[in-house]
Amino acid sequence: MRVELASSLAQRLRGLLGQRRCQNGEALLLAPCASIHCLGMKRPIDLAFISAQGRVLKSERAVKPGRFQNQRGAWGCLERYASSDSWFEVGEDVEFSVLRKER
């Protein structure tokens, strides 16, 4: 799965709100992040809070707009527009590889 990183405060506050990215099953990693909001969202999202070691601490599917979610001890949150595709389960380990964009 392709994951885009949102690490600045502005990127994390905005998340997927009004974004065209992450349309094809791609996800957004908000880091650091232990809570998210779905205020202003038009569509539900899938989310997975992960620890600094990459363990899924909490996983939710189709979180409705206007909701808040949090997870104590989370280092980051993966989110995508809700999909019927497979998603992370609590206890799974997530591993990332960094790919640099060519200029």
Side-chain angles (χ1 to χ4, degrees), residues 27-69:
L28 184 64
L29 172 61
L30 308 172
C33 177
S35 66
I36 62 113
H37 69 83
C38 298
L39 300 174
M41 296 292 293
K42 303 266 190 252
R43 299 166 45 187
I45 63 170
D46 297 334
L47 62 88
F49 285 101
I50 59 173
S51 70
Q53 295 76 32
R55 172 85 28 111
V56 177
L57 303 173
K58 179 178 183 177
S59 180
E60 298 286 338
R61 304 288 305 257
V63 175
K64 295 178 181 176
R67 305 295 168 109
F68 292 87
Q69 294 283 325

Side-chain angles (χ1 to χ4, degrees), residues 78-92:
L78 286 162
E79 60 180 42
R80 71 171 181 187
Y81 291 112
S83 168
S84 60
D85 293 344
S86 63
W87 188 239
F88 300 99
E89 298 289 332
V90 172
E92 279 188 285

